[in-house]
Amino acid sequence: MAADARLLAQVDPATTVLLTVECQQGVVGTDSALPELAMAAQESGALSNVARLVAAAHGSGVQVMHALAVRRPDSRGASRNARLFRAAERLPVQQVVGTAAARIAAPIAVSEDDLVVRRLHGLSPLAGTDVDALLRNLGCRTVVITGVSANVAIPNAVFDAVNAGYVAVVPEDAIAGVPAAYVPALVRHSLALVATVTRTDDVMACWEGPQRPTESGGVSPVRGGK
């Protein structure tokens, strides 16, 4: 599959970070505290597409960063200023640091080169966390945003990335939310206004190997060496 020239320029491995958002066992795994969301992530293929993108990033030198939402055992510092936070305190599975629920979920493979950022508060993977500083130190210009949920954390990540000066790329088949019908509406009416909306296969085509321009203005893989 030939890569799109515009997308290829945006997701250059040298200046791109793949961000997975809350892809942890207690959120999208088999023992999720949010079974409806976990089912949506699995049945839509979003979780497997995140795993495919992570594998492609590992193979092409793209930095992978995992943003996790966790709690201390005593919940010290956790946000309580919204219904969502108060409801989370009553869930049967808690995303406590060091427990299975707070680990990255299968089938996503974690490399020793991946960066993992854990937040104890708030709605956004970027605001008030180490993510922005790490992105800048990595020389990042584009953030490919994947994971859950399309209801809260994903739009927060996209808007905060754009506000911080990054190009946001969203593979729409690698995000999930509930109900499922809400996701395409969010993408069309909100995310597409500020981010490059694409699909997993299109991003992977950009990371499969060296590319060269074609006469038609597109790009195709370079064969027979670098």
Side-chain angles (χ1 to χ4, degrees), residues 91-208:
L91 291 174
V93 179
Q94 294 292 310
Q95 316 298 318
V96 176
V97 178
T99 65
R103 296 175 191 150
I104 297 166
I108 298 169
V110 182
S111 163
E112 62 181 10
D113 293 327
D114 293 359
L115 296 173
V116 179
V117 179
R118 299 171 175 85
R119 77 177 192 274
L120 294 170
H121 60 84
L123 301 170
S124 173
L126 274 76
T129 75
D130 290 337
V131 169
D132 182 35
L134 292 173
L135 293 175
R136 294 187 188 282
N137 289 347
L138 290 164
C140 175
R141 292 203 298 266
T142 298
V143 186
V144 179
I145 298 171
T146 66
V148 296
S149 73
N151 304 81
V152 179
I154 294 298
N156 267 270
V158 171
F159 297 144
D160 286 346
V162 172
N163 282 330
Y166 302 102
V167 173
V169 172
V170 180
E172 60 182 331
D173 56 349
I175 64 171
V178 291
Y182 173 70
V183 180
L186 168 76
V187 170
R188 179 179 179 182
H189 299 294
S190 294
L191 302 189
L193 302 178
V194 297
T196 296
V197 175
T198 184
R199 297 186 67 81
T200 295
D201 286 345
D202 296 324
V203 176
M204 291 180 64
C206 294
W207 292 345
E208 283 178 347

Side-chain angles (χ1 to χ4, degrees), residues 18 24 38-39 43 52 60 62 68 82 112 127 132-133 140 157 160-161 189 192 211 214:
L18 172 64
Q24 52 208 79
M39 183 177 297
E43 292 186 348
R52 292 173 62 215
S60 60
V62 173
L68 306 182
E112 62 181 10
D132 182 35
C140 175
D160 286 346
H189 299 294
Q211 308 282 320
T214 64

